[in-house]
Amino acid sequence: MSFINYSSREINCKIVYYGPGLCGKTTNLKYIFGNTAPDAKGKMISLATETDRTLFFDFLPLSLGEIQGFRTRFHLYTVPGQVFYNASRKLILKGVDGVVFVADSQIDRMEANIESLDNLRENLADQGYDLDRIPYVVQYNKRDLPEIAPVEELRPLLNPGGVPEFEGEATNGRGVFATLKAIAKLVFMELKRSRGT
Amino acid sequence: MAGADTVIFEEEFAKINAVCDRLRGEANALVVFIVDKNGQLISASGETEHLDTTSLASLTAGNVAATGGIAKLLKEKEFATQFHEGEKANIHIQIVGQRVILVVIFDTRSSLGLVRLRVRKASEELNKVFDSLVEKAKKPGAMSVLEEITDEDIENLFNE
Ligand SMILES: Nc1nc2c(ncn2[C@@H]2O[C@H](COP(=O)(O)OP(=O)(O)OP(=O)(O)O)[C@@H](O)[C@H]2O)c(=O)[nH]1
Ligand SMILES: [Mg+2]
C-alpha cells in the first residue's frame, strides 16, 4: 500500500524484513543505515529488549532518487523474529509493499526458517495478501559461518517459487544492498503493473 | 493486493494542511500532525524543524497499531483516543474515520478539554476530505504517474 502525494510529489513504500529470531534482520538495517549518505536517510529507530532482540520493530526511512519527477522514499521495517511476538509481526505487515525473507543459513536453524516462512505466509493471508503474488525476495544470511547448509539445499525449502535470492553476510554487508535493490525494483514493477492496465 | 494505496491530490492536500493549521491555532497547540495508519506522514503544522516528524509518524502508527491489537483482543472495535501527559508536553492521539491519525502536541498554554473539543471538529472536517479523496482515487487515470514508470526509471534509481 504505497503512499502517493501529488502535491509534494512523493511516492513512499513500505518494505518488511521477515525471518526467524537472530537471523540478521536488524543487522541488515544497521548496515544499510551505516552505509547510506546522511542526506538519503532518516534516523533508525529500534524498539528492542535490553538484550538487543527486536521487541516491536526497527524502522529506517530511506530516500532513493526520483521517478517521473516524484521523490521516492522507502520505509524499511523489521519484525521481531521470536515466535511469541506473533501479534506484533501481524501488525507490522499491515500495508506492506514488499517483503524480504532473511533466512539463517546455519544447519541447526533450518526448522526455525521453515516455521518462520510458514508464519509469514499465514500472517500475510490474514491480511488478504498472497506471498506468491507480492514483491518478495529471499536472502540466505550468515554465509560466513562454518556450519551452514549449501544454497542448493536451502532453495527447495525456502524458495520453491524461485524469487530473486541472495547470499548474505549482514555483519560485513555482503548481499545487503543487492537484496534491498532487488526488492525495491520489484515493488516499483508491481506499482506499475497494478496500475498499468 | 489488499487495501488501497493512499493517494493525496493537490486540492485535498491544501485542505488537510489548512485543517492542521487551524486546529493548531484554535487548540493553542505546539504541533499538529496527521499520519496514515501505515506510518506515513501526511501533514504537519507548527514548530516541526527540531522534531523528527518521520520517526514520530512511524512510532505513532506503531503505537496505534499495538493499541488496536489490544482492542481486538478485548473485542473492542478500537480505542480511538489516547492521551499521554508529560512534564512539559502532552500528546493527544485521535484515530479519524478509522483511516488516519490526528496528533496534537501541547503544553500548559492549552488544556486537554480545549484540545478534545477542537479535535472533534477537525476530525469531522478531515473525514469529509478523506471521503472525497477515496472517490477521486478510484477514477481512471488517478494514478497516472505509476503507469508512466519505465524500466529505465527503476534502473536509474540505483545508479546515482
Ligand atoms: N556471523 C554472522 N553473524 C551475523 C550475521 N548477521 C547477523 N549476525 C549476528 O546475529 C545476531 C542476531 O542478529 P540480529 O540482526 O539482531 O537478528 P534479528 O533477526 O534482528 O533477531 P530478532 O530481532 O530477535 O528477530 C547478532 O549478534 C548479529 O551480529 C552474519 O551474516 N554473519
Ligand atoms: Mg531484530
Side-chain angles (χ1 to χ4, degrees), chain B residues 69-98:
Chain B
I70 295 171
K72 226 171 156 186
L73 292 177
L74 300 180
K75 309 227 166 6
E76 283 285 333
K77 197 174 88 198
E78 65 181 7
F79 294 116
T81 312
Q82 288 188 49
F83 174 60
H84 302 288
E85 193 172 358
E87 268 174 25
K88 286 196 216 93
N90 311 304
I91 185 165
H92 186 277
I93 301 174
Q94 178 74 40
I95 305 175
V96 177
Q98 289 176 45

Side-chain angles (χ1 to χ4, degrees), chain A residues 19-28 52-54 58 79-82 141-145 168-171:
Chain A
L22 296 177
C23 68
K25 302 175 290 294
T26 299
T27 310
N28 263 272
D52 271 343
R53 303 297 298 270
T54 302
D58 300 298
V79 299
Q82 294 182 84
N141 191 33
K142 303 202 180 180
R143 298 310 296 173
D144 57 310
L145 292 178
E169 294 171 20
T171 26

Side-chain angles (χ1 to χ4, degrees), chain A residues 101-144:
Chain A
F101 185 80
V102 180
D104 191 326
S105 298
Q106 295 178 96
I107 291 165
D108 63 2
R109 295 300 285 160
M110 207 42 56
E111 235 180 275
N113 286 326
I114 295 169
E115 209 180 320
S116 174
L117 186 55
D118 288 349
N119 174 255
L120 168 62
R121 188 175 282 284
E122 236 167 73
N123 283 344
L124 282 172
D126 268 8
Q127 321 248 353
Y129 296 98
D130 179 352
L131 181 61
D132 298 326
R133 300 185 59 186
I134 62 166
Y136 171 56
V137 304
V138 174
Q139 180 187 81
Y140 305 113
N141 191 33
K142 303 202 180 180
R143 298 310 296 173
D144 57 310

